[in-house]
Amino acid sequence: RPILDMSYSRHFLDFQGSSIPSSMKKLVVTKLSQNFREAVTLQQDSPVPLPGDGDLLVRNRFVGINASDINYSAGRYDTSVKPPFDIGFEGVGDVVALGLSASADYTVGQAVAYVKAGSFAEYTVVPAKHAVPLPSVKPEFLTLMVSGATAYISLKELGELSEGKKVLVTAAAGGTGQFAVQLAKKAKCHVIGTCSSDEKGGFLKSIGCDRAINYKTENVESVLRKDYPEGVDVVYESIGGKMFDLALNSLATKGRLIVIGFITGYQNPTGLPPIKAELLPAKLLKKSASIRGFFLNHYLSEYKMALKHLLKMYERGDLVCEVDFGDVSPEGKFTGLESVFRAVDYMYMGKNIGKIVVELPHSVNSKL
């Protein structure tokens, strides 16, 4: 099998016999700001990185957009990191070169997915132990890496789902919401999803959602009070602000609210929209209710198991992995690193159905 030991060579051949260039495009955070366009710069001629002994060099074909990309570019995750630094959390692509140790498990030409900072680039070095081998390069696999795993692990560890429980999913037609809906249905729960359009409502019904609430045309609070007077048992919440307050007030006795994000606060300079927290102790006590936060990085011990399970479900046809390439956006499909900026805007405008993915086209036979 082909093995390319990269440790001594600056230029080398990829598996299709075309030269890997010496420079590439990538996105770099050059200034900390919650305004993504201000924070991030497209660099045209960064050196293509060299994989070390245990690494893979991955030519990215698809990269995933996450709401937390803005938190990262604003410096909220790690205040010790100073610009410039690479951005993007997840990618799917081909192994085009690898170190000698990495060749024990991987070959040139193999499809892999990964979660690692620095995916918004044409090429990314990925430690072999963190890569996930795939049967092919498909954008659907990318939906599972962060979004699917977040839904799966949070509901399994914190949701205590069981048959007949009522589960409310906010931003249900989004990248991670789509999986919360499907996984709750698989647990035989009654699922309510909030969304911002009738088209999204139709998508939610197609993946098993029992009641889709379009908050642009319906009053969510009134619907919940009327249709679910006893409250909901579990809330999967990613919006924050007023939606958090509403979800909290809608909890049933012994209800659980799982916070996986608060997207309404990410673009604010302060980061957090106000919530009515003064009454929080009384509200929780009155219902024996609980609020749990979930951050994927704290559950990495569960990650491989979760991903394996999700991949099997998808391959069996038991899981819809909806991808949104921005085809309906004004400037069309998200293609090339330049379009990451548009893709982030598109997400914050609440336009996407499913996971937003950017395609990075490569000319197979490009020569130096």
Side-chain angles (χ1 to χ4, degrees):
R1 61 187 177 179
I3 295 171
L4 291 178
D5 177 9
M6 288 290 304
S7 47
Y8 309 107
S9 164
R10 185 63 197 89
H11 298 291
F12 45 92
L13 293 178
D14 74 4
F15 67 102
Q16 275 157 333
S18 62
S19 296
I20 294 174
S22 56
S23 63
M24 65 172 186
K25 293 179 186 174
K26 70 173 179 175
L27 294 186
V28 177
V29 177
T30 49
K31 172 190 171 188
L32 297 182
S33 170
Q34 71 282 348
N35 180 329
F36 191 82
R37 286 177 180 271
E38 267 183 27
V40 179
T41 303
L42 174 62
Q43 293 190 349
Q44 300 280 354
D45 54 357
S46 296
V48 171
L50 286 168
D53 182 56
D55 297 333
L56 312 173
L57 181 66
V58 178
R59 179 167 58 188
N60 294 314
R61 295 267 298 281
F62 300 101
V63 294
I65 304 295
N66 292 284
S68 45
D69 289 329
I70 278 188
N71 282 341
Y72 200 57
S73 64
R76 289 187 185 128
Y77 280 164
D78 185 352
T79 48
S80 68
V81 178
K82 302 291 179 241
F85 55 87
D86 297 346
I87 190 165
F89 290 128
E90 54 186 343
V92 166
D94 310 292
V95 175
V96 293
L98 68 171
L100 216 49
S101 297
S103 68
D105 298 305
Y106 288 91
T107 58
V108 165
Q110 191 158 0
V112 294
Y114 65 89
V115 175
K116 177 184 179 285
S119 71
F120 292 164
E122 291 179 316
Y123 296 85
T124 303
V125 166
V126 179
K129 62 183 179 187
H130 293 152
V132 177
L134 298 174
S136 60
V137 175
K138 283 172 75 173
E140 285 79 7
F141 292 124
L142 197 53
T143 67
L144 302 174
M145 299 301 293
V146 171
S147 301
T150 294
Y152 181 89
I153 300 170
S154 64
L155 289 173
K156 179 175 174 283
E157 297 292 317
L158 310 178
E160 297 172 38
L161 301 184
S162 58
E163 188 171 350
K165 295 287 185 192
K166 293 183 279 295
V167 178
L168 171 65
V169 180
T170 65
T176 182
Q178 65 171 329
F179 294 112
V181 167
Q182 294 179 79
L183 294 168
K185 280 308 293 178
K186 298 249 179 279
K188 299 182 177 171
C189 297
H190 178 93
V191 182
I192 309 126
T194 70
C195 61
S196 60
S197 72
D198 289 340
E199 189 192 356
K200 290 184 180 186
F203 166 68
L204 289 177
K205 284 174 184 156
S206 78
I207 59 171
C209 190
D210 297 287
R211 175 68 162 95
I213 307 172
N214 178 352
Y215 63 79
K216 296 275 177 79
T217 57
E218 296 182 271
N219 182 301
V220 179
E221 197 168 8
S222 303
V223 171
L224 292 173
R225 202 180 297 127
K226 177 175 168 288
D227 295 353
Y228 306 95
E230 301 292 309
V232 295
D233 302 294
V234 179
V235 181
Y236 183 87
E237 216 296 275
S238 61
I239 295 176
K242 289 176 182 170
M243 186 60 84
F244 174 90
D245 288 328
L246 192 156
L248 178 66
N249 293 336
S250 304
L251 282 176
T253 301
K254 297 184 183 174
R256 296 171 294 288
L257 194 159
I258 303 170
V259 177
I260 64 124
F262 42 93
I263 191 170
T264 49
Y266 295 171
Q267 287 181 312
N268 296 349
T270 55
L272 276 166
I275 56 168
K276 295 173 184 167
E278 298 86 356
L279 301 172
L280 189 59
K283 286 179 179 178
L284 295 177
L285 181 65
K286 184 181 172 187
K287 294 179 175 177
S288 292
S290 63
I291 300 173
R292 299 286 300 271
F294 178 87
F295 186 46
L296 185 59
N297 287 12
H298 297 148
Y299 288 84
L300 293 180
S301 59
E302 305 292 312
Y303 183 77
K304 285 223 158 157
M305 173 277 301
L307 205 54
K308 204 171 173 184
H309 191 81
L310 289 165
L311 283 165
K312 273 188 189 154
M313 285 177 76
Y314 172 66
E315 284 164 1
R316 282 199 311 259
D318 290 343
L319 201 62
V320 172
C321 298
E322 189 69 18
V323 171
D324 192 332
F325 279 117
D327 295 296
V328 300
S329 64
E331 293 171 60
K333 186 176 175 179
F334 302 134
T335 305
L337 287 171
E338 307 79 16
S339 67
V340 167
F341 298 98
R342 282 200 300 122
V344 169
D345 290 343
Y346 181 76
M347 174 170 42
Y348 277 88
M349 289 187 284
K351 301 288 188 190
N352 58 300
I353 295 180
K355 172 87 177 178
I356 301 175
V357 172
V358 173
E359 183 172 6
L360 305 186
H362 287 274
S363 169
V364 165
N365 296 313
S366 65
K367 294 290 178 186
L368 276 174

